[in-house]
Amino acid sequence: MNVSAVDSLLAQMRATASLAQGGAAPSSHSNPSAAAPDFSTLLKHSVDQIAQSQSQADFLTQQFTSGSSNVSLSDAMMAMQKATITLQTGIQIRNKVVTAYTDIMNMQV
């Protein structure tokens, strides 16, 4: 998951929390939906990115274990670590989204 997607997601969550607390929506000179993709697009892109990194790690690991001379141990290990970090980042973001959703749902109107 790239940093700009996380920043955009956090900005949307902050704006939603501000509106839920009775604050004003953040002002912007342009249409916010034109500037940033919607939540479902970000979520799908993030899940696809996690799946792609997992697939690449699996492929490189399989190539290395089968004795392919094109893939070194360091390539396979780096791909596996990158996939692990991507997955852990996705899990942490999911946890933050669930926490924010729970906080918003528990707010008194």
Side-chain angles (χ1 to χ4, degrees):
M1 181 171 291
N2 61 21
V3 176
S4 64
V6 172
D7 290 339
S8 176
L9 177 61
L10 287 174
Q12 288 179 355
M13 289 171 51
R14 287 182 184 121
T16 304
S18 175
L19 285 172
Q21 293 175 347
S27 61
S28 176
H29 297 293
S30 64
N31 184 0
S33 62
D38 63 342
F39 181 75
S40 63
T41 303
L42 286 174
L43 184 63
K44 181 179 180 343
H45 177 71
S46 299
V47 171
D48 289 345
Q49 206 171 20
I50 291 169
Q52 181 181 13
S53 68
Q54 293 286 331
S55 295
Q56 182 180 10
D58 289 343
F59 176 75
L60 288 176
T61 302
Q62 185 180 20
Q63 290 295 310
F64 177 74
T65 56
S66 67
S68 175
S69 61
N70 297 336
V71 178
S72 67
L73 176 61
S74 62
D75 291 339
M77 292 298 292
M78 286 190 338
M80 287 172 37
Q81 286 300 317
K82 191 182 289 187
T84 300
I85 290 170
T86 304
L87 179 62
Q88 291 300 320
T89 302
I91 290 170
Q92 292 300 319
I93 290 172
R94 184 225 33 210
N95 292 344
K96 294 288 184 181
V97 168
V98 169
T99 301
Y101 176 78
T102 304
D103 290 345
I104 289 170
M105 294 306 293
N106 289 332
M107 287 181 185
Q108 294 196 6
V109 183

